[in-house]
Amino acid sequence: MAVQWQAGWLSPKPVTDILRQTGDWAMRFLVITLAVTPLRWTAHWNKVYAVRRMLGVTALLYTLAHLLFWFWQQDFDWGPIVMEMVLRTYLSVGLAATLIMVALGITSNDWGVRKLGSVGWNNLHWWVYPAAIASLVHYFMLIRLNAFEPALMAGLLALSAGFRFLRKRESDFTPLSLLALAALGGLATALIEAGYYAYSTGVDVHRLLEANLDFTYEIRPSWYVFGAGVLLAVLRILRKPAVMAKRTARVSPSSR
Ligand code: HEM
């Protein structure tokens, strides 16, 4: 972003451009952070857990930068800033998400885990979901024309939530349940996108849903979410035998 600004590639309102870009990246990192656990479960890839806190803190840092650029856009005029935050719903919702993320960020270190204990820490960090939902509401309230990325982010979050729900019911995922989840995630994304356009433009929801089957112009976000779910199912199929073989070798020394 700094390079874009320095090189003059931004619009005549660079502060607004950076405000939008930092908002986009805050949302993306939040979604990526929540994708870590499903990836760990399906790919049996424990090492990926090591970067989860780092990714969450990155989402927080982008959010704080986003907030700073909003203050800048408002010329650091604190009276109107406070008024706007209270009176404009999309800003109040964004503020709620930010405050939750700050609380999570402060405790995202070894001190936080020690102080809260693992149960307390997990209970507190469950709040990442309300923060993500509030961020999404903020995002949807700000869509100017194209709902592609907000729908994609909403769909990926729904998929992550679906994994957690499934995990509570099955101790280990079967490829079939993962494929069903991928299909449900894609469907949820199509419904969210169509629902948004139907609400904001009044176009018939059936026609909007049919657009998901037309590939001439653009592949709709529902297919990307479905693809992400299928990818995790494939990882589960490919990785499971290798992980099981490794575990057996560790347990029985005679197999060495
Ligand atoms: C107090 C907290 C927040 C304030 C004051 C705030 C303010 C704003 C404003 C004014 C815009 C509109 C920019 C424009 O189009 O002119 C915006 C857009 C956006 N914000 Fe926030 N925001 C806050 C928190 C968050 C959080 C927590 C997230 C996500 C983690 C977020 C993500 C976004 C996204 C994705 C956009 C749309 C960017 C685009 O148009 O491409 N915001 N925010």
Side-chain angles (χ1 to χ4, degrees):
M1 288 174 218
V3 170
Q4 285 177 359
W5 196 340
Q6 201 54 36
W9 295 336
L10 297 175
S11 77
K13 289 182 174 175
V15 173
T16 303
D17 288 351
I18 306 279
L19 168 66
R20 289 177 186 159
Q21 289 197 36
T22 46
D24 287 339
W25 280 105
M27 191 74 240
R28 288 172 195 153
F29 271 105
L30 204 52
V31 169
I32 294 171
T33 308
L34 285 166
V36 166
T37 303
L39 190 62
R40 180 195 175 202
W41 286 335
T42 50
H44 293 273
W45 187 21
N46 286 334
K47 278 186 190 155
V48 73
Y49 229 49
V51 295
R52 192 174 66 150
R53 273 197 240 163
M54 227 185 284
L55 289 167
V57 172
T58 308
L60 171 64
L61 292 179
Y62 272 108
T63 304
L64 294 178
H66 181 61
L67 190 57
L68 180 72
F69 274 86
W70 184 62
F71 292 158
W72 191 342
Q73 195 198 42
Q74 304 300 309
D75 296 324
F76 296 96
D77 202 349
W78 300 108
I81 284 177
V82 173
M83 285 294 278
E84 293 250 312
M85 274 205 193
V86 175
L87 294 179
R88 289 189 194 269
T89 313
Y90 79 90
L91 291 177
S92 313
V93 176
L95 177 64
T98 307
L99 292 176
I100 298 175
M101 286 167 74
V102 168
L104 303 186
I106 291 172
T107 52
S108 277
N109 46 44
D110 294 340
W111 170 84
V113 180
R114 258 199 320 273
K115 199 88 188 148
L116 295 167
S118 80
V119 174
W121 193 87
N122 280 325
N123 285 344
L124 178 68
H125 282 251
W126 170 88
W127 279 87
V128 68
Y129 271 99
I133 292 169
S135 302
L136 268 181
V137 172
H138 170 76
Y139 199 177
F140 269 91
M141 289 178 84
L142 284 161
I143 296 171
R144 283 176 296 277
L145 271 179
N146 194 340
F148 187 98
E149 190 163 335
L152 180 65
M153 295 296 125
L156 291 173
L157 279 174
L159 193 65
S160 291
F163 270 102
R164 283 169 171 82
F165 179 75
L166 194 63
R167 173 77 173 190
K168 286 206 168 121
R169 307 183 129 240
E170 291 182 2
S171 59
D172 195 5
F173 303 115
T174 62
L176 202 64
S177 60
L178 287 180
L179 285 175
L181 192 62
L184 275 176
L187 187 67
T189 313
L191 287 171
I192 292 168
E193 193 193 23
Y196 169 77
Y197 281 125
Y199 173 75
S200 59
T201 63
V203 175
D204 179 27
V205 78
H206 294 104
R207 278 187 52 205
L208 291 164
L209 284 173
E210 270 167 27
N212 286 280
L213 302 174
D214 179 1
F215 301 100
T216 46
Y217 173 59
E218 196 175 32
I219 298 172
R220 303 306 322 149
S222 56
W223 290 104
Y224 289 98
V225 173
F226 176 63
V230 170
L231 188 72
L232 289 178
V234 171
L235 275 175
R236 158 71 180 67
I237 295 166
L238 296 180
R239 291 271 302 158
K240 181 88 193 255
V243 172
M244 292 314 281
K246 230 186 200 173
R247 275 190 201 151
T248 319
R250 235 183 274 144
V251 171
S252 102
S254 60
S255 63
R256 272 187 216 145

